[in-house]
Amino acid sequence: MFTPDQVRRYSRHMLMPEVGAEGQLKLLDAKVLMIGAGGLGSPSAYYLAAAGVGTIGLVDHDVVDESNLQRQILHDVERVGTPKVDSARQTLEGLNPDMNVITYDEVINSENAMRLIADYGIVVNGCDNFPTRYLVNDACVLLGKPMVDGSVLKFDGMVTVFMPGKGCYRCMYPAPPPPELAPNCAEAGVLGVVPGVIGVLQATEVVKLIIGIGDILESRLLTWDALEMEFITYKRARKDDCPVCGDEPSITELIDYEQFCGMPAPSKEEAEVSAV
Ligand SMILES: [Zn+2]
């Protein structure tokens, strides 16, 4: 069932009884969709590819910019100006040719989100704008897909896992903040290592979910303050009156998220407002 190459490549996984050959087969069979091949998607996809996740989908409409290289470790100087999904694919396949990378060089929106997400078992959210965050949340709830969510700004980051039936982003934040109170990394900055840590935590949760080991952050929100070097875990819960995952949801299909958030989602023309 394994090729000799695979036995060598994944030996450190298979040595552990908690993972074993069975766990490695689950990884090889898994399909994970990354929303964004930027600051969070880079470390996350890199480790998932190394772990042998069999299919990784990458959604990103942006091209590599010099200002990305401070943290987006899938890309390099040679690929400045090329589509991020192509650059990411090249790096991931270079690390592990034993997996499939499927690229979507497009903006995820209400028209394509259900189609993009439906094919995958787990979604890793690495976007950094509110319209996309609510869009991906609602699509995952409607499709019953687990979403491993991460966000970063300046010296802080957070990660949580939204499992079907266990609450969603709207249970935590029913409405987005006013645009003037919601700076993104392009406006406020981010210490380059912060998305590195949060993206690897996201990848950790994905691997655990696939193999079926450990405690997932499914009813918890983990925050990290890099300056204080402090991790804090908060309990979070599903809300019965959540408009999308509650008992009587008012949102039963995708809506207009730019209108809902009162701010634009990134377009092909606004490349600077993209994945972290
Ligand atoms: Zn909810």
Side-chain angles (χ1 to χ4, degrees), residues 84-262:
K84 279 191 184 175
V85 290
D86 295 344
S87 167
R89 190 221 313 256
Q90 218 175 316
T91 305
L92 297 176
E93 288 177 348
L95 173 66
N96 189 353
D98 187 33
M99 38 103 52
N100 302 310
V101 181
I102 301 174
T103 59
Y104 309 93
D105 185 6
E106 52 192 294
V107 179
I108 188 164
N109 56 35
S110 299
E111 276 72 59
N112 62 13
M114 300 294 270
R115 169 176 60 81
L116 289 175
I117 292 172
D119 273 351
Y120 291 86
I122 300 173
V123 174
V124 177
N125 198 7
C127 74
D128 100 333
N129 67 85
F130 285 100
T132 308
R133 196 166 286 283
Y134 282 95
L135 162 73
V136 173
N137 178 73
D138 291 359
C140 286
V141 170
L142 295 173
L143 290 164
K145 304 283 184 181
M147 178 174 73
V148 180
D149 201 23
S151 60
V152 292
L153 193 69
K154 296 180 77 176
F155 303 100
D156 297 298
M158 57 176 70
V159 56
T160 189
V161 180
F162 297 115
M163 294 296 288
K166 297 277 186 176
C168 75
Y169 187 75
R170 282 182 189 270
C171 295
M172 286 169 62
Y173 304 106
E180 63 275 16
L181 296 181
N184 62 25
C185 294
E187 292 154 359
V190 62
L191 194 71
V193 296
V194 171
V197 170
I198 298 298
V200 172
L201 290 175
Q202 288 178 282
T204 308
E205 292 300 86
V206 171
V207 168
K208 284 161 58 188
L209 262 176
I210 293 169
I211 300 173
I213 51 173
D215 288 327
I216 303 292
L217 283 171
E218 65 176 7
S219 297
R220 292 178 290 158
L221 171 72
L222 177 69
T223 66
W224 180 48
D225 178 335
L227 290 182
E228 299 296 324
M229 196 45 84
E230 195 167 52
F231 287 90
I232 302 177
T233 305
Y234 300 92
K235 284 220 179 331
R236 64 166 185 81
R238 174 179 169 274
K239 295 218 170 92
D240 295 345
D241 60 352
C242 173
V244 68
C245 81
D247 294 339
E248 288 168 24
S250 56
I251 298 167
T252 53
E253 58 184 26
L254 299 181
I255 60 170
D256 182 336
Y257 293 89
E258 298 187 341
Q259 189 187 46
F260 171 70
C261 295

